[in-house]
Amino acid sequence: MVNMNKIPTVSSSPSLNMNMNSSANHINEWKGDAGHLNINETYYNLIQCHWHTPSEHMLNGTKFDLELHAIRTTSKGEFAVIGILYKIGSPDPFFSKLLNDIKSSVDKDIDVGVINPREIKFKSRPYYRYVGSLTTPPCTEGVVLTIVKKVRTVSSEQLSALKGAGYEENARPT
């Protein structure tokens, strides 16, 4: 992994609609222009996010309670993923806005309405970067993965809600 100082330019629209999908993949799709990530003049548009419990990545041999993946793609079909690790602690503000929707998304798709992806706070954090693959089918290779170095917190209630919505033990083995 390469340790860099901050994530390159991340641009997000001020608002968009997000659909929580209860399918086996539990993909949460962003509708409309959700912003882009610029890595070496290649622009990756935010298309969806999902969570893994426990985390799929480890830092210094430590696995965490949760990992968010924000999936981005180019017009050529190239992928980039930003991963954010979480441990139990204070509630996460982004999850707080989604908590009731997460709880009600069990076994059904819901439109959560207007959510600003900037609330995930991707910017200005040290990170690790490597080229790997998607961790869910079709497991596309050549994906630029960026893992935010700072571990964030999520409350026990927030983690339980995600697990209750189908995100329990869905991380690939490492």
Side-chain angles (χ1 to χ4, degrees), residues 16 30 32 34-36 44-49 70-73 117 122:
L16 55 96
W30 297 92
H36 65 269
Y44 298 86
N45 296 310
L46 179 61
I47 57 170
Q48 59 112 319
C49 68
I71 312 299
R72 297 168 178 273
T73 188
F122 296 114

Side-chain angles (χ1 to χ4, degrees), residues 10-160:
V10 177
S11 167
S12 297
S13 296
S15 63
L16 55 96
N17 289 323
M18 183 178 169
N19 182 59
M20 296 193 85
N21 182 323
S22 66
S23 70
N25 292 328
H26 298 282
I27 294 169
N28 305 297
E29 298 173 332
W30 297 92
K31 298 176 183 177
D33 178 12
H36 65 269
L37 170 67
N38 176 1
I39 301 175
N40 299 326
E41 299 306 311
T42 300
Y43 291 87
Y44 298 86
N45 296 310
L46 179 61
I47 57 170
Q48 59 112 319
C49 68
H50 60 263
W51 295 274
H52 293 282
T53 62
S55 66
E56 293 190 324
H57 289 90
M58 294 187 282
L59 294 181
N60 298 319
T62 301
K63 194 169 269 258
F64 295 89
D65 297 296
L66 180 67
E67 184 170 347
L68 177 139
H69 284 172
I71 312 299
R72 297 168 178 273
T73 188
T74 68
S75 59
K76 296 178 184 177
E78 302 163 312
F79 287 96
V81 175
I82 295 178
I84 301 173
L85 303 168
Y86 295 84
K87 63 183 177 181
I88 298 297
S90 299
D92 179 79
F94 176 69
F95 285 110
S96 292
K97 289 187 177 255
L98 294 176
L99 189 59
N100 289 332
D101 294 312
I102 290 168
K103 289 177 179 178
S104 63
S105 70
V106 179
D107 298 326
K108 65 181 174 185
D109 294 356
I110 61 170
D111 188 336
V112 301
V114 177
I115 300 289
N116 187 338
R118 287 182 181 158
E119 294 179 37
I120 299 173
K121 299 189 187 322
F122 296 114
K123 292 171 74 168
S124 299
R125 303 271 188 223
Y127 64 88
Y128 301 98
R129 174 164 294 144
Y130 69 99
V131 176
S133 66
L134 294 177
T135 61
T136 56
C139 301
T140 305
E141 294 184 358
V143 175
V144 179
L145 289 113
T146 303
I147 309 303
V148 175
K149 188 175 182 180
K150 181 178 180 179
V151 177
R152 299 190 188 166
T153 60
V154 63
S155 71
S156 295
E157 178 189 13
Q158 291 171 328
L159 183 61
S160 293

